[in-house]
Amino acid sequence: MTGIPALAQEAGVTAEERSNWQRKKCDVYTKALAEILDHVGREGVSERFLARNQEFIDSGCLADVDACPETEDDIEVANGLTIATMNTGAASSFSPFRCRG
């Protein structure tokens, strides 16, 4: 597998097969979500946004979900999660923040 970065070579496609790096990113994401919700509160965060984030976490942060931030508080949570994961070294594309369809 020449030309493929080492991290990509060890990436798993199921929660059980995840690499240590994939697990670390997901752990950071999970903890950051809890901390941000403690700070922001849940009142202005949409139920759909919370549910889609939970679906992402439950998949081991592997599912291709559309966690579309719709409210101001959704956007604040999404921004905080993106910063938290990027500070750990994850690419901004790691997050499930998409608004397709």
Side-chain angles (χ1 to χ4, degrees):
M1 294 192 141
T2 306
I4 298 174
L7 286 175
Q9 289 180 22
E10 64 182 55
V13 294
T14 68
E16 296 78 27
E17 297 172 338
R18 292 178 299 163
S19 69
N20 288 336
W21 175 232
Q22 287 173 303
R23 290 175 194 277
K24 180 180 179 180
K25 291 186 294 185
C26 195
D27 289 345
V28 166
Y29 189 91
T30 302
K31 291 174 187 170
L33 178 59
E35 290 173 7
I36 293 165
L37 289 174
D38 283 346
H39 174 72
V40 173
R42 292 176 178 260
E43 188 174 314
V45 182
S46 68
E47 288 299 318
R48 179 170 168 76
F49 184 70
L50 287 173
R52 299 303 282 185
N53 273 282
Q54 191 59 54
E55 182 181 338
F56 180 65
I57 291 167
D58 291 346
S59 76
C61 300
L62 297 172
D64 184 23
V65 302
D66 290 354
C68 182
E70 298 174 359
T71 69
E72 289 296 320
D73 286 346
D74 289 355
I75 293 168
E76 186 173 348
V77 170
N79 287 341
L81 287 168
T82 301
I83 291 167
T85 54
M86 288 180 71
N87 283 342
T88 305
S92 61
S93 60
F94 167 75
S95 304
F97 310 128
R98 296 166 195 81
C99 298
R100 299 179 281 200

